[in-house]
Amino acid sequence: MRFVSYNIQYGKGRDGRFDLERIARAVDGADVIAMQEVERFYKRSGLADQPAELARLLPAYHWVFGPGLDLDAGVAGGDERLIHRRRQFGNLLLSRTPILSARNHLLPKFGTLTQFSLQRAALEGVVATPSGVIRVYSIHLTHLSDDTRQPQVERILDIHARAPIEGGAWCGEHDEGWTEGQPPPVMPREAILMGDFNLTPDSPLYARLAGPWSPAYGRMNGLEGFVDAWVAGGRRESEGITCPDVHGGKRIDYCFVSSRIAARVRRAWIDERADGSDHHPIWTEIDL
């Protein structure tokens, strides 16, 4: 299966043009797509409902949207009616196979006095694959600093650890009016984290996710932790650029996979030709 993560910068390309069609073309063909910086009813993007528009452009995909920022954008209509709208900014998941259940996790936010700090989120989808089900996340961490990202990383690791213990969207038994005759939704142990983490491989938070570094033994991935799929696919940690115009041109977008499926990663690549955003899509191919 092919997985791709793309921070789409609300459809604004490096040329300053808003164009969701080129965003859709860049990811079409993937089996699972994680997008960040997807918005609804912003003036800058023409008051577009971008999740719905991207779903229209990618009609073969199941999808779910998870906002971090969620504000009133209602306007008065005719006959004293209200046109209900929410101005939202967040993450999108799309999958060729069903997204069996979903949760949107709001991440810790640092309240700043002058710097711009907005609510971030991690969108979780339990996705069906040919070899079973897996949890997939579309994640966007704060741009401010490692100090403000640190509690967000800890929250994500806690979500991951607690998920199989908490179980699926519902557990136990109830009448068919609640269950519609279906068994309880599953909550698999293994997961894939995709998104814009706003950190570089030399960050201590990268080590928190992918394991500590030993001068003698290299990166020490934990049995219950994650592996950078870029490295599992044969690349070096220090190579690759997903955001050419920020951080001096660095890899800040990732796909981290549960350690137990790291051996199934076949290859990873960055689509440097995609110009629909200030980021490039990062692709991972995994045998699932």
Side-chain angles (χ1 to χ4, degrees), residues 5 26 50 58 88 126 132 151 190 193 197 204 210 223-224 231 249 259:
S5 180
Q50 291 190 340
L58 295 163
Q88 297 175 327
V126 177
E190 311 304 336
L193 313 177
F197 286 73
L223 290 175
E224 294 296 329
V231 178
S259 296

Side-chain angles (χ1 to χ4, degrees), residues 68-112:
L69 189 71
D70 188 337
L71 303 170
D72 175 57
V75 295
D79 301 325
E80 298 183 352
R81 289 177 297 173
L82 174 72
I83 298 175
H84 174 78
R85 293 192 308 216
R86 303 297 300 178
R87 181 157 61 92
Q88 297 175 327
F89 181 87
N91 307 316
L92 184 66
L93 274 174
L94 304 101
S95 174
R96 288 189 179 275
T97 53
I99 302 173
L100 302 175
S101 64
R103 298 187 296 175
N104 192 41
H105 303 277
L106 299 183
L107 300 177
K109 176 179 174 290
F110 187 81
T112 53

Side-chain angles (χ1 to χ4, degrees), residues 168-185:
W170 54 267
C171 303
E173 300 178 356
H174 212 298
D175 63 78
E176 192 165 312
W178 282 96
T179 67
E180 297 191 353
Q182 297 179 342

Side-chain angles (χ1 to χ4, degrees), residues 248-259:
K250 299 289 185 179
R251 182 167 64 98
I252 62 173
D253 302 83
Y254 297 91
C255 173
F256 292 103
V257 300
S258 288
S259 296

Side-chain angles (χ1 to χ4, degrees), residues 56-72:
R56 184 188 67 81
L57 293 167
L58 295 163
Y61 291 82
H62 306 264
W63 65 278
V64 61
F65 176 63
L69 189 71
D70 188 337
L71 303 170
D72 175 57

